[in-house]
């Protein structure tokens, strides 16, 4: 999952999230259009074999077949990539804590993991969501989310499935990088404490965090070097060395920022963990736009996906440059 020069494609948008993405490109969201779009990604020769170690799927997708009848899971395996599955049921309001959520989905999880294993999943994802705004997050919401993440991770390991542990501190607000750092430190320390209490083997997880980064509406945006310095300092103080890999979410960063920041982080190496990407939007925005639902655009969409996968693969090794972006454009 965190092999050198490779990262994870997060293609696990729920039906409501993918509808928003399709609305933006003028495509109706139906089981068939969702299948067509994801099939074109998984059939992208080059990107899949060279740069995508694993693909996170949604419940609908793990059961779907390509137009020629091949299960989509087989396409991923045939490319030498690992199928994974989102197993949480989404972030729901936390009663008594206005503006805060706790991620649900623990009920029946053991049974669902067994079924997903049979369908081909070898890793899973659970996303906890922590928002930054005046008065939040509270320690209670952080703890509730960390406990759920730890119970999920323990269930995964009992089912021979690698858990991606994703505590996402949102970058939607106008907060500073320093505030993001402080909240993310509290979140990560709490998550690792709960993982320990729940007897989760840290050697068998992948952490999927946010970077230490300013909110998207903040006056001052940090440079890639500033993001990298703060992020590495943060992880050095609270991510145990036993964790084999860290795969970032993109969280609303532009395609270029997500790549430049990952590259700057890896340039601070050697680091004690493999550090790569597990991007949704930052890998898919360009291919989605190029595709726009037209069969005649499949080759252009695959070229766009190939390009972003290659750029992020280079960034995962600290070998990306803006010149390479321009050379390809
Ligand atoms: P983004 O990279 O679009 O943030 O998505 C990654 C993901 O899987 C969030 O759970």
């Amino acid at each position: 999952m965190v092999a050198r020069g490779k990262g994870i494609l997060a293609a696990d948008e729920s039906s409501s999230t993918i509808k928003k993405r399709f609305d933006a490109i003028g495509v109706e969201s139906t089981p068939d259009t969702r299948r067509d779009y994801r099939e074109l990604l998984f059939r992208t020769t080059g990107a899949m074999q060279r740069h995508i170690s694993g693909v996170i799927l949604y419940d609908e997708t793990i059961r779907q077949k390509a137009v020629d009848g091949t299960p989509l899971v087989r396409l991923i395996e045939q490319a030498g990539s690992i199928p994974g599955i989102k197993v949480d049921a989404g972030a729901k309001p936390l009663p008594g804590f206005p503006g805060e959520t706790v991620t649900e989905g623990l009920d029946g999880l053991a049974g669902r993991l067994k079924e997903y294993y049979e369908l081909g999943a070898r890793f899973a994802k659970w996303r906890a969501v922590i928002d930054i705004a005046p008065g939040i997050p509270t320690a209670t919401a952080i703890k509730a989310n960390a406990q759920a993440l730890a119970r999920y991770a323990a269930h995964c390991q009992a089912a021979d499935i690698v858990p991606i542990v994703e505590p996402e501190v949102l970058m939607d607000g106008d907060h500073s990088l320093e505030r993001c750092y402080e909240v993310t430190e509290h979140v990560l320390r709490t998550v690792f404490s709960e993982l320990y209490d729940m007897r989760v083997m840290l050697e068998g997880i992948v952490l999927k965090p946010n970077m230490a980064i300013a909110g998207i509406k903040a006056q001052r945006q940090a440079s890639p070097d500033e993001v990298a310095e703060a992020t590495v300092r943060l992880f050095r103080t609270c991510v145990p060395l036993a964790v084999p890999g860290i795969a970032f979410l993109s969280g609303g960063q532009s395609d270029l920022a997500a790549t430049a920041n990952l590259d700057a982080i890896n340039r601070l190496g050697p680091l004690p963990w493999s550090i790569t990407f597990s991007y949704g939007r930052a890998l898919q925005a360009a291919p989605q736009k190029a595709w726009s639902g037209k069969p005649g655009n499949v080759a252009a969409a695959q070229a766009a996906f190939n390009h972003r996968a290659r750029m992020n693969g280079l960034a995962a090794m600290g070998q990306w440059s803006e010149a390479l972006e321009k050379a390809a454009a």
Side-chain angles (χ1 to χ4, degrees):
M1 289 167 72
V2 293
R4 186 168 164 77
K6 290 189 177 190
I8 295 164
L9 166 64
D12 60 323
E13 300 86 356
S14 63
S15 297
S16 65
T17 300
I18 197 77
K19 182 179 181 307
K20 279 187 229 151
R21 308 277 185 262
F22 278 15
D23 284 349
I25 52 168
V27 176
E28 193 191 349
S29 182
T30 68
D32 282 356
T33 58
R34 295 193 286 269
R35 187 270 321 275
D36 289 347
Y37 167 64
R38 285 162 172 156
E39 179 175 348
L40 87 78
L41 292 179
F42 307 158
R43 283 193 192 275
T44 301
T45 308
M48 287 295 297
Q49 289 80 1
R50 288 193 207 110
H51 305 298
I52 304 299
S53 58
V55 181
I56 318 175
L57 302 169
Y58 185 56
D59 180 78
E60 176 187 72
T61 322
I62 200 170
R63 302 168 194 281
Q64 277 181 321
K65 292 190 167 67
V67 176
D68 70 2
T70 313
L72 294 182
V73 167
R74 287 292 100 67
L75 294 185
I76 295 166
E77 290 168 349
Q78 283 164 6
S81 189
I82 309 168
I85 182 77
K86 183 226 298 287
V87 300
D88 67 67
K92 303 288 157 63
L94 182 63
F97 293 82
E100 295 193 283
T101 60
V102 65
T103 299
E104 296 188 352
L106 288 169
D107 288 358
L109 181 57
R112 285 192 291 129
L113 286 169
K114 197 163 178 292
E115 189 198 2
Y116 286 139
Y117 189 94
E118 281 157 15
L119 288 167
R122 293 295 177 268
F123 70 92
K125 178 189 113 171
W126 178 290
R127 173 175 174 256
V129 183
I130 305 294
D131 203 0
I132 299 181
I136 65 169
T138 62
T140 306
I142 291 172
K143 195 167 176 66
N145 276 291
Q147 275 175 341
L149 266 172
R151 284 184 60 198
Y152 140 82
H155 273 298
C156 287
Q157 291 189 338
D160 279 336
I161 287 182
V162 173
I164 291 186
V165 173
E166 179 178 6
E168 175 172 6
V169 177
L170 295 178
M171 57 176 288
D172 295 346
D174 61 1
H175 52 271
S176 64
L177 178 150
E178 290 72 24
R179 175 88 176 116
C180 172
Y181 181 112
E182 181 184 283
V183 170
T184 307
E185 178 172 5
H186 184 161
V187 168
L188 290 176
R189 286 192 189 281
T190 310
V191 166
F192 282 107
S193 165
E194 294 293 337
L195 288 171
Y196 174 71
D197 286 352
M198 222 54 84
R199 302 183 176 171
V200 173
M201 184 183 58
L202 296 185
E203 290 81 354
I205 73 163
V206 170
L207 179 69
K208 176 163 172 167
N210 51 284
M211 298 173 187
I213 195 166
I216 203 112
K217 296 183 206 130
Q219 293 264 325
R220 199 182 106 64
Q221 291 295 324
S223 69
D225 285 342
E226 288 170 321
V227 169
E229 185 280 323
T231 301
V232 169
R233 182 159 42 89
L234 170 62
F235 290 174
R236 281 198 192 278
T237 187
C238 55
V239 179
L241 298 186
V243 173
I246 297 174
F248 286 109
L249 56 95
S250 60
Q253 299 181 49
S254 71
D255 293 1
L256 230 56
T259 306
N261 288 335
L262 177 63
D263 182 69
I265 289 167
N266 276 300
R267 280 178 192 270
L268 294 180
L271 299 165
W273 323 268
S274 280
I275 298 202
T276 187
F277 58 89
S278 174
Y279 290 165
R281 283 163 284 182
L283 277 172
Q284 294 188 64
Q288 271 164 14
K289 201 158 163 242
W291 175 59
S292 291
K294 302 198 175 65
N297 291 341
V298 164
Q302 290 182 326
F305 178 43
N306 251 325
H307 177 61
R308 286 267 49 87
R310 192 166 79 83
M311 292 299 110
N312 284 306
L314 288 167
M317 299 185 291
Q319 294 174 5
W320 171 85
S321 72
E322 226 170 315
L324 287 168
E325 290 281 350
K326 290 195 183 115

